[in-house]
Amino acid sequence: MDRERFASVACSIARTSGVVGDPWALLVLRDLFLGLTRYDELRRDLGVATNVLADRLDRLVDAGLVVREVYQRAPVRHDYHLTDAGRDLYGVVLALMAWGDRHLAPDGPPMLLVHDTCGHRTTPVVACDRCGGELTDDAVTVRPGPGGRHAPGTAVLAERLTGSVAG
Amino acid sequence: MDRERFASVACSIARTSGVVGDPWALLVLRDLFLGLTRYDELRRDLGVATNVLADRLDRLVDAGLVVREVYQRAPVRHDYHLTDAGRDLYGVVLALMAWGDRHLAPDGPPMLLVHDTCGHRTTPVVACDRCGGELTDDAVTVRPGPGGRHAPGTAVLAERLTGSVAG
DNA sequence: CTCCTCGCTTGCGAATTGCAAGCCACCCTA
DNA sequence: TAGGGTGGCTTGCAATTCGCAAGCGAGGAG
């Protein structure tokens, strides 16, 4: 899947997709959030091939989402923990879960969440940090930012709107 | 990657990962959110191989996230639009973007978002629908829900906590 | 001394990928 | 009528990646 190509695109969605745009990577993160830490726990819970698990853990470590720590000497054994950057993906994982609960869970949600802060069962929503309102497609406008020559899609869109091809 | 296996797991994260756990699928969705609709627009913007683009569009249509519509007869031409379920993934895409902006965008965010409802530049946060507070790893408790025999990871966790193996 | 566990690595055949070329239906120009 | 261009794919091929299964090295248990 040649992940490095996504890292060089001037779009945070593309860059992030290159890191977590893989079912096994996301499920490893899910299990780490649930508190699993060891290779064999992950393997048994996920039912994943061992070479694939080793590969995904390596990638997540390389990407700085996970650290490998010695939890035992003689023999040396490691376990895996989320870094701050990895923990910061919690919202992404929750958003995926919430969507799956709405669209792929005819028997109801497999997991329920309680927000300890307010004490209620919670459904995660992606909201505006300014007004707290839910962010929907038709209420958000995209503008080019400083970190890219242009936002993705804009070249094609501009061409279509003006009818001319930009050099 | 045998996507069907993820659909049968009793976990919304796994099921959703089976649908969108792929960089190209996520980038196709991004472009559809940005307003691109046609095959060739997508191909040029993404720089993706044509067989892969055709395959991802087929998958997204099969998954009910995208519809293929005739926009012209003689010759028959189709374009691609998000369904309600597809549009509902907006939050996931925003969450991915926000994370990438925080961790993979040293030159600043490539795209800026304006929330038309409140008129401000916005940074998407994943929040509790009850209290509006941001949902973080350490402030959320996971419980088994009705849609699964057990939540993922719990078998391994229970075994580790009790020191016994459940039949 | 042999078996067992943990955390991988290796080998293999099958599936998937990127790239490039081809193709088909139609339109436009002349 | 011929010739070229466009849009939307399909096909062929080499290379990568996958799932599965076996192996392996370091130590602990019996």
Side-chain angles (χ1 to χ4, degrees):
Chain A
M1 209 178 292
D2 191 14
R3 321 204 127 247
E4 297 189 15
R5 79 190 298 171
F6 295 106
S8 63
V9 176
C11 169
S12 288
I13 302 166
R15 291 175 185 167
T16 307
S17 298
V19 178
V20 300
D22 173 280
W24 290 127
L26 288 165
L27 293 177
V28 167
L29 291 172
R30 178 200 69 183
D31 276 6
L32 293 175
F33 278 118
L34 287 169
L36 307 196
T37 59
R38 301 204 340 219
Y39 184 92
D40 209 49
E41 290 175 335
L42 296 168
R43 185 193 59 73
R44 280 190 290 163
D45 187 59
L46 297 174
V48 60
T50 56
N51 52 351
V52 174
L53 177 57
D55 177 77
R56 290 306 183 281
L57 287 168
D58 283 349
R59 278 192 205 166
L60 292 171
V61 169
D62 287 348
L65 308 185
V66 168
V67 279
R68 199 173 139 175
E69 288 170 356
V70 174
Y71 73 88
Q72 174 190 111
R73 301 185 182 282
V76 173
R77 294 279 155 89
H78 303 91
D79 56 5
Y80 297 89
H81 296 273
L82 292 166
T83 62
D84 288 343
R87 255 187 303 278
D88 194 30
L89 273 167
Y90 196 56
V92 170
V93 174
L94 291 184
L96 287 169
M97 193 186 93
W99 187 89
D101 285 344
R102 286 194 293 274
H103 298 278
L104 302 174
D107 300 330
M111 285 193 274
L112 301 177
L113 304 176
V114 175
H115 189 203
D116 303 333
T117 308
C118 71
H120 292 292
R121 241 201 83 196
T122 184
T123 302
V125 294
V126 178
C128 173
D129 66 330
R130 296 295 292 271
C131 73
E134 186 169 357
L135 292 174
T136 57
D137 181 19
D138 54 356
V140 171
T141 303
V142 177
R143 293 200 325 222
R149 293 179 301 280
H150 60 75
T154 51
V156 172
L157 282 176
E159 176 183 335
R160 191 171 61 188
L161 291 171
T162 64
S164 66
V165 179
Chain B
M1 209 177 292
D2 190 14
R3 322 205 127 247
E4 298 189 14
R5 79 190 297 172
F6 295 105
S8 63
V9 176
C11 169
S12 288
I13 302 166
R15 292 175 184 165
T16 307
S17 298
V19 178
V20 300
D22 174 279
W24 290 127
L26 289 165
L27 293 177
V28 167
L29 291 172
R30 178 200 68 182
D31 276 7
L32 294 175
F33 278 119
L34 287 170
L36 307 196
T37 59
R38 304 212 330 225
Y39 184 93
D40 210 49
E41 290 175 335
L42 295 168
R43 185 192 58 73
R44 282 189 288 163
D45 188 59
L46 297 174
V48 61
T50 56
N51 52 351
V52 174
L53 178 56
D55 177 76
R56 290 306 182 282
L57 287 169
D58 284 348
R59 277 191 205 168
L60 292 171
V61 169
D62 288 348
L65 308 186
V66 168
V67 279
R68 200 172 143 180
E69 288 171 355
V70 174
Y71 72 89
Q72 173 189 111
R73 301 184 183 283
V76 174
R77 295 280 156 89
H78 304 91
D79 56 6
Y80 298 90
H81 296 273
L82 292 165
T83 63
D84 287 343
R87 255 186 302 278
D88 194 31
L89 273 167
Y90 196 55
V92 170
V93 173
L94 291 183
L96 287 170
M97 193 186 91
W99 187 90
D101 285 344
R102 286 194 293 273
H103 298 278
L104 302 174
D107 301 330
M111 286 193 272
L112 301 177
L113 304 176
V114 176
H115 189 204
D116 303 335
T117 307
C118 71
H120 292 292
R121 242 201 81 195
T122 183
T123 301
V125 293
V126 178
C128 173
D129 66 332
R130 297 295 291 272
C131 73
E134 185 169 357
L135 293 174
T136 57
D137 181 19
D138 53 356
V140 172
T141 304
V142 177
R143 293 199 326 221
R149 293 179 303 279
H150 60 74
T154 52
V156 172
L157 282 175
E159 176 184 336
R160 191 170 60 186
L161 290 171
T162 65
S164 66
V165 180

mmCIF file of all heavy atoms in Angstrom, chain A residues 136-159:
data_model
loop_
_atom_site.group_PDB
_atom_site.id
_atom_site.type_symbol
_atom_site.label_atom_id
_atom_site.label_comp_id
_atom_site.label_asym_id
_atom_site.label_seq_id
_atom_site.Cartn_x
_atom_site.Cartn_y
_atom_site.Cartn_z
ATOM 1 N N THR A 136 -21.441 19.316 10.826
ATOM 2 C CA THR A 136 -21.977 18.552 9.706
ATOM 3 C C THR A 136 -21.445 19.126 8.405
ATOM 4 O O THR A 136 -21.043 20.297 8.324
ATOM 5 C CB THR A 136 -23.511 18.596 9.688
ATOM 6 O OG1 THR A 136 -23.931 19.965 9.633
ATOM 7 C CG2 THR A 136 -24.092 17.942 10.928
ATOM 8 N N ASP A 137 -21.478 18.283 7.418
ATOM 9 C CA ASP A 137 -20.992 18.566 6.079
ATOM 10 C C ASP A 137 -21.464 19.927 5.557
ATOM 11 O O ASP A 137 -20.681 20.731 5.065
ATOM 12 C CB ASP A 137 -21.510 17.441 5.185
ATOM 13 C CG ASP A 137 -21.057 17.580 3.767
ATOM 14 O OD1 ASP A 137 -20.076 18.301 3.510
ATOM 15 O OD2 ASP A 137 -21.694 16.970 2.918
ATOM 16 N N ASP A 138 -22.754 20.207 5.707
ATOM 17 C CA ASP A 138 -23.315 21.396 5.069
ATOM 18 C C ASP A 138 -23.152 22.657 5.913
ATOM 19 O O ASP A 138 -23.533 23.738 5.482
ATOM 20 C CB ASP A 138 -24.797 21.168 4.722
ATOM 21 C CG ASP A 138 -25.582 20.724 5.936
ATOM 22 O OD1 ASP A 138 -24.974 20.516 7.004
ATOM 23 O OD2 ASP A 138 -26.810 20.580 5.829
ATOM 24 N N ALA A 139 -22.581 22.515 7.103
ATOM 25 C CA ALA A 139 -22.419 23.697 7.953
ATOM 26 C C ALA A 139 -20.951 24.061 8.123
ATOM 27 O O ALA A 139 -20.600 24.847 8.986
ATOM 28 C CB ALA A 139 -23.063 23.467 9.319
ATOM 29 N N VAL A 140 -20.089 23.462 7.299
ATOM 30 C CA VAL A 140 -18.662 23.735 7.410
ATOM 31 C C VAL A 140 -18.135 24.169 6.042
ATOM 32 O O VAL A 140 -18.467 23.572 5.021
ATOM 33 C CB VAL A 140 -17.891 22.491 7.899
ATOM 34 C CG1 VAL A 140 -16.387 22.713 7.814
ATOM 35 C CG2 VAL A 140 -18.295 22.130 9.324
ATOM 36 N N THR A 141 -17.314 25.218 6.048
ATOM 37 C CA THR A 141 -16.662 25.684 4.831
ATOM 38 C C THR A 141 -15.167 25.422 4.956
ATOM 39 O O THR A 141 -14.573 25.679 6.006
ATOM 40 C CB THR A 141 -16.904 27.194 4.639
ATOM 41 O OG1 THR A 141 -18.308 27.431 4.616
ATOM 42 C CG2 THR A 141 -16.284 27.672 3.336
ATOM 43 N N VAL A 142 -14.597 24.909 3.887
ATOM 44 C CA VAL A 142 -13.179 24.580 3.878
ATOM 45 C C VAL A 142 -12.404 25.700 3.204
ATOM 46 O O VAL A 142 -12.807 26.190 2.147
ATOM 47 C CB VAL A 142 -12.947 23.251 3.134
ATOM 48 C CG1 VAL A 142 -11.467 22.935 3.049
ATOM 49 C CG2 VAL A 142 -13.688 22.114 3.825
ATOM 50 N N ARG A 143 -11.310 26.092 3.837
ATOM 51 C CA ARG A 143 -10.435 27.091 3.229
ATOM 52 C C ARG A 143 -9.005 26.582 3.235
ATOM 53 O O ARG A 143 -8.632 25.805 4.110
ATOM 54 C CB ARG A 143 -10.489 28.397 4.026
ATOM 55 C CG ARG A 143 -11.841 29.098 3.958
ATOM 56 C CD ARG A 143 -11.676 30.558 4.335
ATOM 57 N NE ARG A 143 -10.650 30.707 5.356
ATOM 58 C CZ ARG A 143 -10.750 31.525 6.414
ATOM 59 N NH1 ARG A 143 -11.843 32.229 6.589
ATOM 60 N NH2 ARG A 143 -9.765 31.624 7.277
ATOM 61 N N PRO A 144 -8.204 27.034 2.275
ATOM 62 C CA PRO A 144 -6.796 26.638 2.283
ATOM 63 C C PRO A 144 -6.104 27.164 3.536
ATOM 64 O O PRO A 144 -6.380 28.274 3.981
ATOM 65 C CB PRO A 144 -6.213 27.297 1.038
ATOM 66 C CG PRO A 144 -7.370 27.766 0.244
ATOM 67 C CD PRO A 144 -8.543 27.892 1.147
ATOM 68 N N GLY A 145 -5.204 26.363 4.093
ATOM 69 C CA GLY A 145 -4.467 26.771 5.276
ATOM 70 C C GLY A 145 -2.999 26.978 4.957
ATOM 71 O O GLY A 145 -2.586 26.802 3.801
ATOM 72 N N PRO A 146 -2.208 27.327 5.955
ATOM 73 C CA PRO A 146 -0.797 27.635 5.717
ATOM 74 C C PRO A 146 0.060 26.423 5.371
ATOM 75 O O PRO A 146 1.118 26.572 4.768
ATOM 76 C CB PRO A 146 -0.350 28.234 7.063
ATOM 77 C CG PRO A 146 -1.299 27.669 8.071
ATOM 78 C CD PRO A 146 -2.606 27.497 7.353
ATOM 79 N N GLY A 147 -0.392 25.231 5.735
ATOM 80 C CA GLY A 147 0.467 24.061 5.608
ATOM 81 C C GLY A 147 0.411 23.356 4.277
ATOM 82 O O GLY A 147 0.887 22.230 4.154
ATOM 83 N N GLY A 148 -0.158 23.975 3.254
ATOM 84 C CA GLY A 148 -0.222 23.297 1.965
ATOM 85 C C GLY A 148 -0.216 24.292 0.833
ATOM 86 O O GLY A 148 -0.678 25.415 0.988
ATOM 87 N N ARG A 149 0.367 23.896 -0.272
ATOM 88 C CA ARG A 149 0.343 24.749 -1.456
ATOM 89 C C ARG A 149 -1.101 25.042 -1.826
ATOM 90 O O ARG A 149 -1.474 26.121 -2.181
ATOM 91 C CB ARG A 149 1.058 24.075 -2.613
ATOM 92 C CG ARG A 149 2.546 23.903 -2.400
ATOM 93 C CD ARG A 149 3.162 23.199 -3.598
ATOM 94 N NE ARG A 149 2.534 21.887 -3.805
ATOM 95 C CZ ARG A 149 2.848 20.805 -3.112
ATOM 96 N NH1 ARG A 149 3.763 20.870 -2.181
ATOM 97 N NH2 ARG A 149 2.245 19.663 -3.349
ATOM 98 N N HIS A 150 -1.918 24.020 -1.735
ATOM 99 C CA HIS A 150 -3.357 24.201 -1.916
ATOM 100 C C HIS A 150 -4.036 23.028 -1.240
ATOM 101 O O HIS A 150 -3.441 21.959 -1.063
ATOM 102 C CB HIS A 150 -3.728 24.255 -3.402
ATOM 103 C CG HIS A 150 -3.356 23.019 -4.138
ATOM 104 N ND1 HIS A 150 -4.062 21.835 -4.023
ATOM 105 C CD2 HIS A 150 -2.335 22.742 -4.963
ATOM 106 C CE1 HIS A 150 -3.491 20.922 -4.766
ATOM 107 N NE2 HIS A 150 -2.430 21.427 -5.342
ATOM 108 N N ALA A 151 -5.257 23.239 -0.865
ATOM 109 C CA ALA A 151 -6.020 22.141 -0.281
ATOM 110 C C ALA A 151 -6.304 21.112 -1.368
ATOM 111 O O ALA A 151 -6.387 21.456 -2.546
ATOM 112 C CB ALA A 151 -7.325 22.655 0.314
ATOM 113 N N PRO A 152 -6.434 19.866 -1.004
ATOM 114 C CA PRO A 152 -6.713 18.828 -1.999
ATOM 115 C C PRO A 152 -8.050 19.099 -2.672
ATOM 116 O O PRO A 152 -8.961 19.634 -2.071
ATOM 117 C CB PRO A 152 -6.772 17.551 -1.158
ATOM 118 C CG PRO A 152 -7.075 18.017 0.215
ATOM 119 C CD PRO A 152 -6.445 19.348 0.357
ATOM 120 N N GLY A 153 -8.110 18.726 -3.906
ATOM 121 C CA GLY A 153 -9.365 18.882 -4.632
ATOM 122 C C GLY A 153 -9.575 20.257 -5.212
ATOM 123 O O GLY A 153 -10.364 20.430 -6.135
ATOM 124 N N THR A 154 -8.872 21.244 -4.696
ATOM 125 C CA THR A 154 -9.170 22.599 -5.137
ATOM 126 C C THR A 154 -8.750 22.844 -6.582
ATOM 127 O O THR A 154 -9.400 23.608 -7.297
ATOM 128 C CB THR A 154 -8.487 23.638 -4.229
ATOM 129 O OG1 THR A 154 -7.123 23.302 -4.116
ATOM 130 C CG2 THR A 154 -9.148 23.661 -2.877
ATOM 131 N N ALA A 155 -7.680 22.199 -7.004
ATOM 132 C CA ALA A 155 -7.266 22.386 -8.390
ATOM 133 C C ALA A 155 -8.363 21.913 -9.334
ATOM 134 O O ALA A 155 -8.764 22.623 -10.259
ATOM 135 C CB ALA A 155 -5.968 21.623 -8.664
ATOM 136 N N VAL A 156 -8.872 20.744 -9.054
ATOM 137 C CA VAL A 156 -9.932 20.203 -9.889
ATOM 138 C C VAL A 156 -11.192 21.060 -9.788
ATOM 139 O O VAL A 156 -11.848 21.359 -10.783
ATOM 140 C CB VAL A 156 -10.240 18.739 -9.490
ATOM 141 C CG1 VAL A 156 -11.467 18.234 -10.212
ATOM 142 C CG2 VAL A 156 -9.044 17.861 -9.781
ATOM 143 N N LEU A 157 -11.507 21.480 -8.579
ATOM 144 C CA LEU A 157 -12.705 22.288 -8.400
ATOM 145 C C LEU A 157 -12.586 23.629 -9.111
ATOM 146 O O LEU A 157 -13.519 24.065 -9.790
ATOM 147 C CB LEU A 157 -12.961 22.528 -6.907
ATOM 148 C CG LEU A 157 -13.577 21.362 -6.144
ATOM 149 C CD1 LEU A 157 -13.668 21.715 -4.671
ATOM 150 C CD2 LEU A 157 -14.960 21.065 -6.699
ATOM 151 N N ALA A 158 -11.424 24.267 -8.981
ATOM 152 C CA ALA A 158 -11.231 25.565 -9.612
ATOM 153 C C ALA A 158 -11.361 25.451 -11.127
ATOM 154 O O ALA A 158 -12.016 26.270 -11.781
ATOM 155 C CB ALA A 158 -9.855 26.124 -9.248
ATOM 156 N N GLU A 159 -10.763 24.384 -11.621
ATOM 157 C CA GLU A 159 -10.837 24.154 -13.058
ATOM 158 C C GLU A 159 -12.280 23.982 -13.516
ATOM 159 O O GLU A 159 -12.700 24.513 -14.546
ATOM 160 C CB GLU A 159 -10.026 22.902 -13.388
ATOM 161 C CG GLU A 159 -10.078 22.470 -14.821
ATOM 162 C CD GLU A 159 -9.302 21.171 -14.995
ATOM 163 O OE1 GLU A 159 -8.390 20.895 -14.182
ATOM 164 O OE2 GLU A 159 -9.613 20.444 -15.935
#
